[in-house]
Amino acid sequence: MYPEIEPYEHGMVDVGGGNAVYWEQCGNPDGLPAVVLHGGPGSGCTPGHRRWFDPRRYRIVLLDQRNCGRSTPHAADHDTDLSENTTTNLVADLELLRATLSIDRWLVFGGSFGSVLALAYAERFPERVSALVLFGVATGRQSEVDLLLRGLAPLFPQQWTRFRQAAGDDDLAAGYARRLNSPSPEERADAAAEWCRWEDAISPTTGPSVRFQDARFRLGFARIVTHYWSNGHFLPEDDILIREAGRLAEVPGVIVQGRLDFGNLAGTPWELANAWPHCDLIVVDEGAHETSTPGMTTTLLSTVDRFASEIRTPPGPPARPRSPHGQ
């Protein structure tokens, strides 16, 4: 990956309802704009997300989606209301940020839930997307959620039994969502730990996540994930992102998918590629859900580098940092 870099500008954008979303820009202010959409939902961006792009050629935009990372208020706080944290509002947040930064079009880079959000945004605003690069693909369908909650049980029977018992409900996502919103801090903490233990179990290629060692991160992450998974990802129809993929006819895209990604068992990458004109599906035989697995990193880097040469941005005033803190 490219060397570590620091933002040249950062700030907060008020998205309404008492919510503020953190954003930052790195790389070349006059480069090809690209935005990174993190997964989870609720994991937040990390310094590593800056390193997918050549900083000489890209203007790299990162943001923490609502109620996670450096955005406020944080989902780990019990009194934080998540009712306005929906896919529709996250799409609106992206479009507000694009306009705030005076970007005409940008490359959208997202994995896991980030691919759900990327597709929802691109299908709503295809004229604002120069290209899509997706990995660990999901589309928010119930079949994908069911696979991760129950379908993988035969592969991890001991871990799933513990996960199931801790839910306290046959509807696992809803059961955890209730426990994560319990008045009891101890119950909330226990539910978050059990949820993240299962997340680690179904990602065996990388070992336990370092981020899950942080109790505050665990709670905020699990609370947002279960909020989405128990509400159909707040999409109007279960398969709408695949059915509406024809709206991306003028948007070039690449799906980089690890053959060992357990989410592949739902068939989503192939269904999406078949429905999306001008999309290339690259399957990495030894790759899994995580981008650090063999082949995933090099394939994603070469894809992003290729788009830096192929995409032409329309003429316009150069983007320059307003101040060290984006004020």
Side-chain angles (χ1 to χ4, degrees), residues 5 23 57 72-73 98 112 114-115 126 145 190 197 225 229 232 240-241 259 289 295 299 315 325:
I5 55 173
W23 58 268
R57 305 170 75 184
T72 59
R98 182 200 61 77
S112 196
S115 62
V145 172
D190 179 72
R197 185 175 284 111
V225 173
W229 286 20
I240 193 167
L241 296 183
R259 195 176 297 280
H289 191 68
T299 304
H325 300 290

Side-chain angles (χ1 to χ4, degrees), residues 4-320:
E4 295 181 3
I5 55 173
E6 293 297 322
Y8 66 74
E9 182 181 27
H10 62 89
M12 304 287 285
V13 59
D14 184 348
V15 295
N19 291 284
V21 167
Y22 171 87
W23 58 268
E24 65 182 41
Q25 297 196 87
C26 314
N28 181 358
D30 298 325
L32 176 69
V35 62
V36 178
L37 304 183
H38 63 72
S43 65
C45 273
T46 70
H49 287 114
R50 306 166 185 161
R51 301 178 58 200
W52 290 109
F53 305 87
D54 184 342
R56 300 165 299 179
R57 305 170 75 184
Y58 275 101
R59 176 184 174 188
I60 310 155
V61 180
L62 274 64
L63 72 150
D64 292 330
Q65 295 156 28
R66 289 192 183 208
N67 308 127
C68 70
R70 292 148 290 189
S71 295
T72 59
H74 198 279
D77 298 324
H78 181 54
D79 58 353
T80 295
D81 180 10
L82 299 184
S83 62
E84 294 190 6
N85 192 330
T86 66
T87 300
T88 298
N89 283 343
L90 296 189
V91 167
D93 296 348
L94 276 175
E95 185 60 4
L96 176 59
L97 178 60
R98 182 200 61 77
T100 299
L101 299 180
S102 301
I103 292 172
D104 183 69
R105 296 192 307 157
W106 49 10
L107 179 150
V108 181
F109 179 94
S112 196
F113 175 76
S115 62
V116 177
L117 181 55
L119 289 166
Y121 175 80
E123 291 175 10
R124 175 67 179 83
F125 298 104
E127 72 280 5
R128 297 304 182 186
V129 180
S130 58
L132 279 170
V133 178
L134 308 179
F135 55 93
V137 168
T139 61
R141 295 183 297 174
Q142 189 60 43
S143 60
E144 298 163 5
V145 172
D146 290 343
L147 171 67
L148 298 178
L149 289 178
R150 291 185 177 274
L152 298 180
L155 296 178
F156 310 99
Q158 183 176 3
Q159 295 94 328
W160 185 81
T161 298
R162 177 170 178 159
F163 175 66
R164 163 67 185 86
Q165 291 174 343
D169 194 307
D170 286 338
D171 185 334
L172 303 185
Y176 272 98
R178 281 193 293 273
R179 293 196 66 207
L180 289 161
N181 287 281
S182 166
S184 166
E186 293 77 16
E187 183 173 8
R188 296 197 301 269
D190 179 72
E194 294 296 340
W195 182 274
C196 293
R197 185 175 284 111
W198 175 246
E199 293 261 1
D200 272 338
I202 61 177
S203 301
T205 57
T206 56
S209 170
V210 174
R211 301 181 84 184
F212 288 162
Q213 296 176 10
D214 183 330
R216 182 172 174 81
F217 177 87
R218 288 197 304 265
L219 183 54
F221 171 81
R223 194 171 172 221
I224 294 176
V225 173
T226 55
H227 173 64
Y228 274 78
W229 286 20
S230 57
N231 285 283
H233 282 80
F234 300 97
L235 295 170
E237 297 176 43
D238 187 57
D239 61 348
I240 193 167
L241 296 183
I242 291 180
R243 287 197 297 102
E244 294 291 312
R247 294 179 57 81
L248 305 176
E250 303 302 319
V251 179
V254 174
I255 297 171
V256 179
Q257 195 72 23
R259 195 176 297 280
L260 303 179
D261 183 344
F262 290 124
N264 276 354
L265 301 177
T268 298
W270 291 271
E271 292 183 51
L272 178 60
N274 286 334
W276 177 3
H278 308 300
C279 170
D280 295 327
L281 172 60
I282 302 173
V283 178
V284 179
D285 285 338
E286 69 276 30
H289 191 68
E290 302 78 16
T291 55
S292 58
T293 50
M296 293 293 289
T297 300
T298 54
T299 304
L300 281 167
L301 285 170
S302 63
T303 298
V304 173
D305 285 345
R306 175 168 64 83
F307 276 128
S309 301
E310 293 181 356
I311 297 173
R312 296 189 178 185
T313 55
R320 296 293 182 184

